[in-house]
Amino acid sequence: LDDYSDGHSTPAAPLLREIEANTASIFPSGAHMVSGAMQGSFLTTLASMSREGRILEIGSFSGYATACFLEGASLAGKLSGSDMGTREGGGPFVLSLERDARALGLAAAHLKVMSEFGMGEEGAKEASKIRSDGVEDFEKDSVSFTYNDIAGCELIRVSDALATLEEMTSENPSISTAPFDIVFVDADKTRLKEYVDILVSNDRILKKGGLILVDNVLWKGLVLDAASNGSGYESNSEDEDENSSTEKEREALRRNRRARKLANKMHRFNSAVVKDDRVEVLVIPIRDGLSLIRKR
């Protein structure tokens, strides 16, 4: 079904294919974290259908989803006849927060190419050079771009995205913004409910009726086992470690344990947010699971 769906969907833009290739080259262990063509197209569509095309992304990584949102934001702006979007003034705008300097350096390189050369073959050709030229760690506090003369974009380096969100709701925030239509949370999986609580507690960051998108909510399918076990997986790791004869086996076991632990947390988050009467929730089994949470 996935292959059939891919084959009968509009292909990903050439630039997005190069972003995926660059990510696999520069972050080989994190290549699976890229949204990919199907989810990326879905994010673009959601952004294009939003009221103003205003998106807050928590977790830029290599900029794949950021580029998808920026494309959708520009489409929303064109449809509404908007002026150029800005962070504080409204209109189509993507604000992305990231703490990893190397990931942010790659994301900035990708967004620079997109803003100057577009998402077609010319942009793809320029982006392909990143694999040979390499990328430097991001040392600035922020960097801004414009796209299609209508959508703005800003990448900001933060040390703690949750603390940054809390500060953004204060009376005099250091990062001042007009409210957003969509907030995409692809960050610390252990504090997801806290992100949601901040976003629904007032309308300074997310508009009433806005969407919170939370990624990886099915966690490799392991949430099924976490749900069937009631309180979740049990973790008895020391004996297992002792019985594993090689370092490779022990490392695989540690990774598996971490996956099960995160599946427990994700299951608890899913169970808690669906009971929150401040929101409506739709879990979509796309990629690793995407939760659409509409703020009432």
Side-chain angles (χ1 to χ4, degrees), residues 93-204:
F93 191 86
V94 178
L95 175 63
S96 188
L97 311 178
E98 175 60 54
R99 67 179 181 180
D100 186 278
R102 189 158 180 77
L104 203 49
L106 182 56
H110 287 148
L111 271 296
K112 184 175 187 294
V113 168
M114 181 177 174
S115 67
E116 294 178 3
F117 299 97
M119 298 190 75
E121 293 296 345
E122 188 179 7
K125 182 178 178 181
E126 289 298 316
S128 69
K129 297 176 184 178
I130 294 173
R131 291 196 289 283
S132 55
D133 295 345
V135 64
E136 296 182 356
D137 288 4
F138 190 82
E139 296 183 351
K140 305 175 184 177
D141 292 328
S142 66
V143 62
S144 297
F145 307 96
T146 60
Y147 179 62
N148 281 347
D149 296 322
I150 195 166
C153 178
E154 185 176 7
L155 307 181
I156 298 181
R157 186 179 178 187
V158 298
S159 57
D160 186 323
L162 185 64
T164 300
L165 277 194
E166 290 175 335
E167 201 269 341
M168 285 170 66
T169 65
S170 65
E171 291 294 335
N172 297 295
S174 58
I175 302 175
S176 179
T177 71
F180 295 93
D181 300 303
I182 297 173
V183 178
F184 182 50
V185 182
D186 192 14
D188 183 358
K189 307 304 180 188
T190 65
R191 300 190 292 176
L192 293 176
K193 190 59 167 64
E194 294 173 65
Y195 282 105
V196 172
D197 288 338
I198 290 172
L199 294 170
V200 300
S201 63
N202 61 69
D203 299 331
R204 289 180 180 168

Side-chain angles (χ1 to χ4, degrees), residues 270 273-276 279-283 291-294:
N270 292 334
V273 76
V274 76
K275 297 174 184 175
D276 191 327
V279 299
E280 296 172 350
V281 182
L282 173 64
V283 174
S291 187
L292 275 64
I293 304 168
R294 191 183 77 84

Side-chain angles (χ1 to χ4, degrees), residues 3-296:
D3 290 341
Y4 182 89
S5 299
D6 286 340
H8 291 78
S9 299
T10 302
L15 174 63
L16 292 176
R17 295 198 296 269
E18 290 302 321
I19 292 178
E20 200 160 4
N22 289 344
T23 306
S25 174
I26 295 171
F27 292 106
S29 64
H32 65 283
M33 294 164 60
V34 168
S35 291
M38 185 177 293
Q39 180 167 305
S41 179
F42 185 62
L43 298 180
T44 297
T45 301
L46 287 177
S48 71
M49 295 168 63
S50 65
R51 281 173 279 182
E52 287 189 272
R54 295 188 61 77
I55 318 297
L56 171 60
E57 178 185 42
I58 303 171
S60 317
F61 189 41
S62 62
Y64 189 104
T66 322
C68 294
F69 280 129
L70 187 56
E71 173 69 14
S74 73
L75 294 173
K78 288 178 181 178
L79 288 171
S80 66
S82 171
D83 294 329
M84 169 65 73
T86 64
R87 171 155 56 88
E88 296 183 56
F93 191 86
V94 178
L95 175 63
S96 188
L97 311 178
E98 175 60 54
R99 67 179 181 180
D100 186 278
R102 189 158 180 77
L104 203 49
L106 182 56
H110 287 148
L111 271 296
K112 184 175 187 294
V113 168
M114 181 177 174
S115 67
E116 294 178 3
F117 299 97
M119 298 190 75
E121 293 296 345
E122 188 179 7
K125 182 178 178 181
E126 289 298 316
S128 69
K129 297 176 184 178
I130 294 173
R131 291 196 289 283
S132 55
D133 295 345
V135 64
E136 296 182 356
D137 288 4
F138 190 82
E139 296 183 351
K140 305 175 184 177
D141 292 328
S142 66
V143 62
S144 297
F145 307 96
T146 60
Y147 179 62
N148 281 347
D149 296 322
I150 195 166
C153 178
E154 185 176 7
L155 307 181
I156 298 181
R157 186 179 178 187
V158 298
S159 57
D160 186 323
L162 185 64
T164 300
L165 277 194
E166 290 175 335
E167 201 269 341
M168 285 170 66
T169 65
S170 65
E171 291 294 335
N172 297 295
S174 58
I175 302 175
S176 179
T177 71
F180 295 93
D181 300 303
I182 297 173
V183 178
F184 182 50
V185 182
D186 192 14
D188 183 358
K189 307 304 180 188
T190 65
R191 300 190 292 176
L192 293 176
K193 190 59 167 64
E194 294 173 65
Y195 282 105
V196 172
D197 288 338
I198 290 172
L199 294 170
V200 300
S201 63
N202 61 69
D203 299 331
R204 289 180 180 168
I205 298 177
L206 180 66
K207 298 174 185 176
K208 187 176 291 293
L211 286 179
I212 304 168
L213 310 179
V214 180
D215 204 9
N216 307 113
V217 294
L218 299 182
W219 203 255
K220 305 168 180 50
L222 293 176
V223 290
L224 293 176
D225 293 324
S228 66
N229 289 339
S231 60
Y233 289 105
E234 303 225 352
S235 137
N236 249 337
S237 55
E238 292 183 6
D239 292 341
E240 291 175 330
D241 276 346
E242 289 176 2
N243 294 331
S244 300
S245 57
T246 68
E247 182 57 35
K248 185 176 181 180
E249 288 176 346
R250 285 191 289 273
E251 178 60 24
L253 193 60
R254 282 191 287 270
R255 288 183 179 179
N256 185 44
R257 243 187 352 260
R258 179 177 181 273
R260 289 183 295 179
K261 185 176 181 180
L262 286 172
N264 283 341
K265 292 182 180 297
M266 200 62 72
H267 170 59
R268 291 183 189 122
F269 165 74
N270 292 334
S271 300
V273 76
V274 76
K275 297 174 184 175
D276 191 327
D277 60 11
R278 299 172 297 175
V279 299
E280 296 172 350
V281 182
L282 173 64
V283 174
I284 301 178
I286 182 174
R287 191 171 163 267
D288 200 23
L290 186 69
S291 187
L292 275 64
I293 304 168
R294 191 183 77 84
K295 180 179 178 180
R296 294 182 189 271

